[in-house]
Amino acid sequence: MVAGAAAGIACGYLADLVFADPRRGHPVALFGSGAARLERLTYRDNRAAGLAHTGLLLAGLALLGVAAQRRNRPHLGLAAATFVALGGTSLNRVGDRMADLLAADDVDGARALVPSLCGRDPASLDAAGLTRATVESLAENTSDAQVAPLLWAAVAGVPGVLVYRGANTLDAMIGHRSPRYLRFGWAAARFDDVLNYVPARVTGLLVAVCAPVVGGSPVAALRAWRRDAARHPSPNAGVVEASFAGALGVRLGGPTQYAHQLEIRPSLGDGRAPEVEDVGRAVRLSRAVQGAAALVAVAAAGWLSGACRSGRRASPRV
């Protein structure tokens, strides 16, 4: 088991690098469809109903994860669960595609790609808005789609990574502040905040470490995080977006139009407004952080497995 957990996470990460997300029949999409069907039965405009909805779905994932982990080769289950939960390669491919569209001044094509990155209203975005939205989404999703699932796989195995991915999916579905989900989605949003608290800060540290990959400064990344992150409405997105802004030497934040409301976001970083070439730099930074996170997760899984085995050996026999 010492090598098993680490090998399972490594295999899952490598599978994501090679295959990315399947275009059809993705388990996360199937989970989302199931959650939408369940919502027809559970929806009430109150927090208690949302808590029950979220709890039922995540408890089901936890039980599935426990069953998978108890099989004869649990590292294979961990590899499969990690692959399913990761989305970093698809994220980077969308970022590269957006950079190409913006470089070609294809604003309509870039607007059509926005839903693959975030929930902003594409019609409200010009070229500058598309550029900023892409950099911000690359930053936030580097943590949500890659660093967090890798860390949860290392710490809590198959149940942990499945529950994390389920919670993050529910947050995207019902965790926003629209009139329908303001109360019903409260539990999903808060639980996602809790699960992402540590991973977001690990991401911020890795962004600082990897900043030189894009000609950035680790000090600038940490300074932007310390100075600006707390002003962001999200306790986690602010950390990664501010650290990305500092590492890239750009300024993020400002008016952000979603389908349900306009948010005025605080400025993050003290550089210039992001330009088209910064999208490619953000992709490279995201890719470097993802690789670093995989190394951290594999090392953590090996260390935790070894510590658990040593503890069992040291336990006195009764």
Side-chain angles (χ1 to χ4, degrees), residues 232-252:
H232 195 283
S234 167
N236 300 320
V239 172
V240 292
E241 289 182 23
S243 58
F244 258 73
L248 295 170
V250 301
R251 183 180 66 257
L252 302 176

Side-chain angles (χ1 to χ4, degrees), residues 120-155:
R120 304 186 193 191
D121 179 14
S124 68
L125 299 173
D126 57 10
L130 289 163
T131 300
R132 177 171 72 85
T134 302
V135 174
E136 291 174 353
S137 297
L138 284 166
E140 182 174 2
N141 286 303
T142 296
S143 179
D144 289 0
Q146 197 79 0
V147 178
L150 284 168
L151 294 181
W152 278 109
V155 171

Side-chain angles (χ1 to χ4, degrees), residues 49 114 153 231 309:
V114 166
R231 296 188 288 135
R309 192 175 70 169

Side-chain angles (χ1 to χ4, degrees), residues 43-71:
Y43 180 81
R44 303 289 187 277
D45 189 17
N46 59 65
R47 289 183 176 181
L51 177 61
H53 176 80
T54 301
L56 282 171
L57 289 165
L58 298 185
L61 288 176
L63 291 173
L64 178 64
V66 170
Q69 196 155 277
R70 285 180 175 175
R71 291 184 176 272

Side-chain angles (χ1 to χ4, degrees), residues 8-78:
I9 293 171
C11 288
Y13 169 72
L14 293 174
D16 179 65
L17 282 181
V18 174
F19 301 110
D21 291 332
R23 295 188 177 184
R24 295 183 180 179
H26 196 297
V28 174
L30 296 176
F31 171 80
S33 298
R37 293 191 186 95
L38 180 64
E39 185 182 327
R40 297 172 192 167
L41 302 175
T42 58
Y43 180 81
R44 303 289 187 277
D45 189 17
N46 59 65
R47 289 183 176 181
L51 177 61
H53 176 80
T54 301
L56 282 171
L57 289 165
L58 298 185
L61 288 176
L63 291 173
L64 178 64
V66 170
Q69 196 155 277
R70 285 180 175 175
R71 291 184 176 272
N72 291 334
R73 297 182 178 179
H75 57 284
L76 296 180
L78 184 56

Side-chain angles (χ1 to χ4, degrees), residues 79-165:
T82 302
F83 168 59
V84 165
L86 296 181
T89 298
S90 294
L91 172 68
N92 290 335
R93 289 179 180 178
V94 173
D96 282 333
R97 177 61 178 155
M98 184 68 81
D100 291 341
L101 292 169
L102 291 171
D105 293 323
D106 186 355
V107 173
D108 289 337
R111 285 173 176 160
L113 195 58
V114 166
S116 298
L117 281 171
C118 59
R120 304 186 193 191
D121 179 14
S124 68
L125 299 173
D126 57 10
L130 289 163
T131 300
R132 177 171 72 85
T134 302
V135 174
E136 291 174 353
S137 297
L138 284 166
E140 182 174 2
N141 286 303
T142 296
S143 179
D144 289 0
Q146 197 79 0
V147 178
L150 284 168
L151 294 181
W152 278 109
V155 171
V158 179
V161 72
L162 291 184
V163 168
Y164 170 77
R165 177 47 65 205

Side-chain angles (χ1 to χ4, degrees), residues 256-278:
T256 303
Q257 180 67 58
Y258 293 94
H260 55 281
Q261 68 179 11
L262 172 66
E263 295 184 7
I264 306 301
R265 298 286 180 84
S267 293
L268 306 173
D270 52 10
R272 53 179 171 75
E275 300 173 356
V276 173
E277 58 267 25
D278 294 314

Side-chain angles (χ1 to χ4, degrees), residues 181-205:
Y181 294 123
L182 182 62
R183 285 173 285 274
F184 184 76
W186 177 86
R190 297 291 77 77
F191 191 57
D192 181 74
D193 284 344
V194 170
L195 293 184
N196 274 300
Y197 187 86
V198 171
R201 283 143 185 85
V202 172
T203 303
L205 291 173

